């Protein structure tokens, strides 16, 4: 039988239950601080439950990657080992080239995203405030919704060149539709029974919109914004791979042409991490904004 | 009597291609500063009558004339609270951003028995508590007429009893008119100064009770007799 103590030396403390003797010894000393200790233990359990499983998952993936490289199943060109990728990552961080590329891509995303949001909001509002206006643009929008933005790149390059306008347009096309559809759903799906409450209290059209329809739609609008942000982040990489001299997409393509697979993987990591971070940040802002009065699926 | 006068009111709906005459020729006077209870089986047109008086729907013909200037609040069958507003914000919803008189809010919250829940969100409350918030919202509006559509149907027996008493008390204090729809005969007998029985979109019968509401003993002879009559009336109805 393996001794508990020897095992505890190898495993992280939280992985092993405390031995009965230790518990007995500690019980007397800690009785005074039991309240504090309980709170501390609860917090520890919370962090353990929250961070332990994802960290283990990531660690397992890294170990697998390391083992595959170690066994030399693929050449180091096809799959560089973790250490090499990490080293490139460090070098790119220190030189600052990574920050420049990330900054440019993020700035492009937010520009296109902001324009798309404003237009989607205005058109969605138009559908809610005067429903008669809908048919005039609805079919045109549905047509463009079914055209992938990437298929428009040749035309966009022809019309706008390979400058910023093309990228903004692609992000606009990618993020507009999920936002528009969700905003329309939020605005037109307002519960008529709640609108009647406003009618009974003599609400004007404006009050009706800003005090009932808009708050009612806010959850849908935010969902649309979150999806739209994800879409535009995907689209910018594709756009930068087709026509750009800066940005993350260009960096990846350039690294591939230079046979620097490690840099390609760094680029993919950074895309994933920045995407994840913006998404989390957005989720955090939303939960602040909705003040916890909605059960939302953000976490 | 200056109150609300309803003359030759008619209303039909189109349901599944068929024309459904919900109200056929309703004549009714709703006295001022009294509780008028509309009693009937489900589908007899009582909610429609209430919605027409509230202006939420337009009649096909006939007219509803209000004696003086009126300020109408509606308590619906469901609470209909705004899920993004807390209890206090929901209660003040009818004031459209105006500040309530100091002390008025806490008085109303105490009346409906929600003290301590001012900051709660609607979905944290039980159905009965939500309905009480809806009632507080109507009271905070300072109405001269309150339209109530089976507002206590979702409450348990004891809460309902308490709310009925509170409603009588508030009605006397504020001297407002109430048009109250219910299918509960006991509730009608307990609250109503005037009880209107509706059958197939017509007024079948009308009782006037002069005793003060809230102090009634439903087990006394006159009330038992009246209840028998009402039950007999309702039983005759074809569905």
């Amino acid at each position: 039988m393996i001794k508990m103590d020897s095992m505890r030396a190898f495993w992280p403390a939280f992985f092993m239950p405390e031995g009965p003797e230790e518990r007995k010894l500690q019980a007397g000393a800690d009785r005074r601080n039991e309240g504090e200790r309980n709170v501390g233990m609860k917090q520890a359990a919370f962090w353990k439950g929250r961070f332990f499983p994802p960290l283990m998952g990531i660690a397992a993936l890294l170990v697998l990657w390391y083992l595959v490289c170690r066994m030399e199943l693929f050449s180091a060109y096809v799959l560089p080992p973790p250490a090499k990728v990490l080293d490139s990552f460090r070098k790119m961080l220190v030189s600052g080239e990574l920050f420049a590329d990330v900054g440019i891509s993020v700035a492009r995303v937010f520009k296109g995203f902001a324009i798309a949001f404003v237009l989607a909001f205005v058109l969605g509002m138009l559908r809610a405030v005067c429903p008669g206006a809908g048919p005039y643009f609805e079919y045109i929008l549905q047509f463009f919704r079914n055209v992938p933005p990437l298929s428009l790149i040749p035309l966009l390059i022809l019309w706008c060149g390979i400058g910023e306008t093309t990228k903004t347009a692609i992000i606009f096309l990618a993020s507009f539709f999920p936002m528009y559809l969700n905003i329309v759903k939020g605005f037109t799906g307002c519960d008529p029974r709640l609108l009647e409450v406003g009618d009974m209290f003599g609400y004007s059209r404006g009050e009706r919109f800003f005090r009932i329809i808009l708050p009612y739609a806010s959850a849908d609008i935010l969902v649309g914004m979150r999806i739209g942000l994800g879409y535009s982040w995907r689209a910018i990489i594709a756009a930068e791979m087709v026509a750009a001299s800066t940005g993350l997409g260009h960096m990846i393509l350039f690294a591939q042409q230079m046979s620097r697979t490690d840099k390609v993987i760094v680029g993919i990591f950074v895309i994933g991490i920045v995407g994840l971070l913006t998404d989390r940040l957005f989720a955090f802002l939303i939960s602040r904004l909705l003040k916890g009065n909605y059960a939302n699926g953000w976490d | 009597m200056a109150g609300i006068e309803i003359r030759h009111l008619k209303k039909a709906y189109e349901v599944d291609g068929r024309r459904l005459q919900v109200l056929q020729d309703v004549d009714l006077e709703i006295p001022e500063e009294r509780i008028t209870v509309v009693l009937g089986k489900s589908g007899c047109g009582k909610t429609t009558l209430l919605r027409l008086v509230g202006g939420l729907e337009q009649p096909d013909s006939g007219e509803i004339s209000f004696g003086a200037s009126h300020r109408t609040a509606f308590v619906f069958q469901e609470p209909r609270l705004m899920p993004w507003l807390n209890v206090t914000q929901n209660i003040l919803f009818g004031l459209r951003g105006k500040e309530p008189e100091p002390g008025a809010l806490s008085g109303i919250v105490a009346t409906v028995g929600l003290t301590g829940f001012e900051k709660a969100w609607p979905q944290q409350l039980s159905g009965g508590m939500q309905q009480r918030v809806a009632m507080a919202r109507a009271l905070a509006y300072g109405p001269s007429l309150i339209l109530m559509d089976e507002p206590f149907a979702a409450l348990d027996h004891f809460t309902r009893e308490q709310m009925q008493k509170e409603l009588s008390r508030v009605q006397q204090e504020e001297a407002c008119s109430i048009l109250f729809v219910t299918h509960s005969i006991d509730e009608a007998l307990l609250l109503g100064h005037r009880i209107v029985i509706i059958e197939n979109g017509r007024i079948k019968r009308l009782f006037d009770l002069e005793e003060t509401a809230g102090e009634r003993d439903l087990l006394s002879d006159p009330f038992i007799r009246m209840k028998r009559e009402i039950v007999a009336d309702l039983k005759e109805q074809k569905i």
Side-chain angles (χ1 to χ4, degrees):
Chain A
M1 226 173 110
I2 309 165
K3 273 194 154 181
M4 290 289 269
D5 293 29
S6 59
M7 263 183 82
R8 206 169 290 125
F10 286 96
W11 286 92
F14 50 77
F15 210 69
M16 295 291 299
E18 280 179 356
E21 272 115 280
E22 280 174 22
R23 232 178 288 161
K24 237 182 270 166
L25 280 172
Q26 279 183 356
D30 284 351
R31 199 158 288 147
R32 270 160 285 151
N33 306 327
E34 207 158 283
E36 283 170 42
R37 192 159 165 261
N38 275 346
V39 173
M41 272 168 70
K42 263 183 201 159
Q43 272 180 348
F46 171 76
W47 291 113
K48 199 164 98 184
R50 179 144 194 178
F51 286 112
F52 183 65
L55 283 178
M56 284 306 276
I58 295 168
L61 196 68
L62 284 174
V63 168
L64 186 73
W65 180 10
Y66 172 77
L67 288 177
V68 167
C69 292
R70 193 67 198 265
M71 288 191 284
E72 292 179 2
L73 291 178
F74 306 101
S75 82
Y77 169 64
V78 175
L79 185 70
K84 188 164 182 224
V85 173
L86 210 67
D87 192 46
S88 305
F89 183 57
R90 192 183 55 79
K91 277 183 191 149
M92 287 161 85
L93 274 183
V94 171
S95 73
E97 58 174 311
L98 200 56
F99 292 114
D101 282 326
V102 170
I104 287 165
S105 293
V106 168
R108 282 171 181 157
V109 163
F110 277 99
K111 192 173 160 202
F113 178 75
I115 297 172
F117 174 70
V118 170
L119 199 73
F121 190 86
V122 169
L123 287 179
M125 198 168 100
L126 205 62
R127 288 268 317 255
V129 177
C130 39
Y136 287 96
F137 54 83
E138 189 58 23
Y139 290 96
I140 302 171
L141 289 182
Q142 294 300 334
F143 171 81
F144 277 107
R145 188 165 79 85
N146 287 290
V147 176
L150 284 181
S151 69
L152 292 172
I153 285 183
L155 267 186
L156 287 171
I157 291 175
L158 201 62
W159 291 343
C160 315
I162 59 163
E164 290 303 302
T165 321
T166 306
K167 276 139 223 150
T168 310
I170 287 170
I171 291 165
F172 172 83
L173 287 169
S175 60
F176 173 80
F177 294 103
M179 285 199 274
Y180 173 73
L181 291 178
N182 274 285
I183 288 170
V184 167
K185 175 179 168 264
F187 280 159
T188 55
C190 190
D191 190 345
R193 296 181 307 171
L194 295 186
L195 291 174
E196 272 184 2
V197 175
D199 292 344
M200 273 322 297
F201 289 129
Y203 272 36
S204 66
R205 273 170 83 109
E207 281 174 315
R208 210 172 128 101
F209 181 79
F210 285 108
R211 286 173 176 248
I212 305 174
I213 298 179
L214 188 60
Y216 190 88
S218 62
D220 279 320
I221 294 174
L222 292 168
V223 168
M225 287 176 80
R226 195 183 184 189
I227 300 172
L229 197 61
Y231 277 25
S232 41
W233 187 239
R234 287 151 182 252
I236 185 62
I237 304 299
E240 283 172 350
M241 284 181 136
V242 175
S245 53
T246 47
L248 272 175
H250 167 261
M251 185 209 99
I252 290 173
L253 202 71
F254 190 67
Q256 185 228 337
Q257 284 160 358
M258 298 290 119
S259 306
R260 290 292 302 273
T261 322
D262 50 330
K263 278 193 167 187
V264 173
I265 295 177
V266 169
I268 291 166
F269 274 150
V270 171
I271 291 170
I273 289 167
V274 174
L276 198 71
L277 283 181
T278 44
D279 194 60
R280 290 279 95 188
L281 191 70
F282 206 78
F284 175 73
L285 290 177
I286 287 169
S287 61
R288 281 346 279 281
L289 211 64
L290 295 180
K291 292 182 217 132
N293 56 346
Y294 267 113
N296 60 60
W298 297 107
D299 282 310
Chain B
M1 200 186 292
I4 302 166
E5 271 189 46
I6 298 170
R7 292 270 163 267
H8 305 299
L9 198 65
K10 286 183 187 173
K11 178 75 182 171
Y13 291 113
E14 196 83 31
V15 180
D16 201 15
R18 278 190 316 140
R19 195 179 154 80
L20 205 67
Q21 192 71 38
V22 183
L23 291 181
Q24 20 204 351
D25 213 10
V26 169
D27 282 290
L28 179 66
E29 265 177 39
I30 298 165
E32 206 168 323
E33 297 176 20
R34 287 280 180 276
I35 301 180
T36 305
V37 178
V38 178
L39 189 63
K41 286 185 180 175
S42 60
C44 73
K46 30 186 212 303
T47 297
T48 305
L49 178 66
L50 206 62
R51 291 175 63 85
L52 288 169
V53 174
L56 289 174
E57 279 173 58
Q58 295 307 311
D60 295 339
S61 66
E63 60 173 300
I64 302 168
S65 50
F66 295 88
S69 66
H70 63 286
R71 199 171 157 85
T72 312
F74 207 124
V75 181
F76 296 91
Q77 222 163 344
E78 327 82 37
R80 303 200 184 182
L81 304 178
M82 307 296 147
W84 57 89
L85 300 178
N86 66 24
V87 167
T88 304
Q89 291 164 330
N90 261 299
I91 292 175
L92 299 178
F93 188 74
L95 298 183
R96 298 159 71 184
K98 279 189 238 88
E99 283 295 309
E101 285 172 37
L105 179 69
S106 56
I108 289 167
V109 170
T111 299
V112 295
L114 285 169
T115 310
F117 290 94
E118 290 90 344
K119 294 273 174 285
W121 300 105
Q123 64 270 34
Q124 295 174 317
L125 304 178
S126 70
M129 286 164 100
Q130 291 184 17
Q131 193 61 26
R132 284 187 269 160
V133 177
M135 199 166 132
R137 177 174 65 187
L139 294 177
Y141 186 56
S144 59
L145 171 66
I146 309 179
L147 306 173
M148 305 183 102
D149 190 359
E150 303 192 22
F152 305 145
L155 303 184
D156 65 274
H157 176 79
F158 299 103
T159 317
R160 189 186 313 136
E161 220 167 48
Q162 187 205 333
M163 293 298 290
Q164 285 163 345
K165 277 190 193 135
E166 286 296 335
L167 184 67
S168 290
R169 191 180 62 78
V170 168
Q171 188 270 332
Q172 279 168 38
E173 264 176 27
E174 308 284 323
C176 54
S177 326
I178 294 178
L179 183 57
F180 192 102
V181 161
T182 184
H183 60 250
S184 155
I185 300 171
D186 283 346
E187 191 165 65
L189 288 172
L190 200 66
L191 288 174
H193 296 107
R194 166 170 284 190
I195 299 175
V196 182
I197 296 178
I198 293 199
E199 178 190 70
N200 296 330
R202 273 179 224 278
I203 292 187
K204 171 142 191 199
R205 225 168 142 163
L206 204 139
F207 296 89
D208 276 317
L209 290 81
E210 268 319 311
E211 279 164 275
T212 332
E215 296 164 10
R216 293 174 181 173
D217 177 13
L218 294 192
L219 297 176
S220 63
D221 282 341
F223 278 106
I224 290 180
R225 221 174 302 128
M226 199 179 281
K227 186 169 178 175
R228 281 216 180 95
E229 283 179 48
I230 294 174
V231 170
D233 268 345
L234 290 172
K235 266 192 181 159
E236 280 171 29
Q237 295 182 16
K238 283 170 251 122
I239 300 171

